[in-house]
Amino acid sequence: MLMQRINMFVELKTLYSEIEAQILVSLLKDRNIESIIDKDDAGGMHPHLQATEGVKVLVKKEDYDIAKSILEKTNDNLPSWRCKNCNEVHEGQFLVCWNCGESKY
């Protein structure tokens, strides 16, 4: 039954961490789009796998186009930011510095 439910979903975006994925899921939920997080970190025993393998946000196939549109509009409105730890510049949609792992906030 669970496998049938997962097959109804398609990947919207792969993110760096579960925190970023939760933010996106919340954004979609506010717009009445059901989404789920797919991650392989051995039940939390190996959280470093989130950084190497990524965390996927999945949406229903029928909601994919509208979810993608929401994601693109959100990304377009975010200003770039500079990491306070290593001074690397990032596009606004990224919440974690790719260079040193420091959080945007």
Side-chain angles (χ1 to χ4, degrees):
M1 182 70 148
L2 178 61
M3 206 54 182
Q4 289 175 335
R5 181 168 162 79
I6 290 176
N7 288 335
M8 296 173 19
F9 286 80
V10 293
E11 182 180 331
L12 175 65
K13 184 163 179 78
T14 299
L15 299 153
Y16 179 74
S17 72
E18 187 175 1
I19 294 169
E20 290 179 318
Q22 287 291 352
I23 291 169
L24 179 54
V25 166
S26 294
L27 175 70
L28 295 170
K29 184 177 180 182
D30 287 345
R31 289 158 176 84
N32 296 317
I33 296 176
E34 184 179 356
S35 59
I36 57 175
I37 294 175
D38 181 28
K39 61 186 174 102
D40 185 14
D41 63 357
M45 296 298 292
H46 299 284
H48 65 280
L49 292 176
Q50 292 180 19
T52 58
E53 301 295 321
V55 179
K56 295 172 178 48
V57 173
L58 311 174
V59 296
K60 289 183 178 178
K61 290 178 184 179
E62 61 268 19
D63 292 335
Y64 178 81
D65 290 333
I66 188 71
K68 189 73 168 171
S69 173
I70 290 167
L71 184 61
E72 288 169 358
K73 287 177 187 173
T74 301
N75 290 345
D76 290 344
N77 294 330
L78 297 173
S80 61
W81 60 280
R82 185 174 299 275
C83 177
K84 58 188 170 219
N85 186 49
C86 71
N87 219 25
E88 185 70 30
V89 177
H90 301 280
E91 295 177 21
Q93 73 267 24
F94 298 107
L95 300 176
V96 177
C97 176
W98 69 267
N99 189 44
C100 72
E102 182 73 22
S103 173
K104 178 178 179 178
Y105 304 104

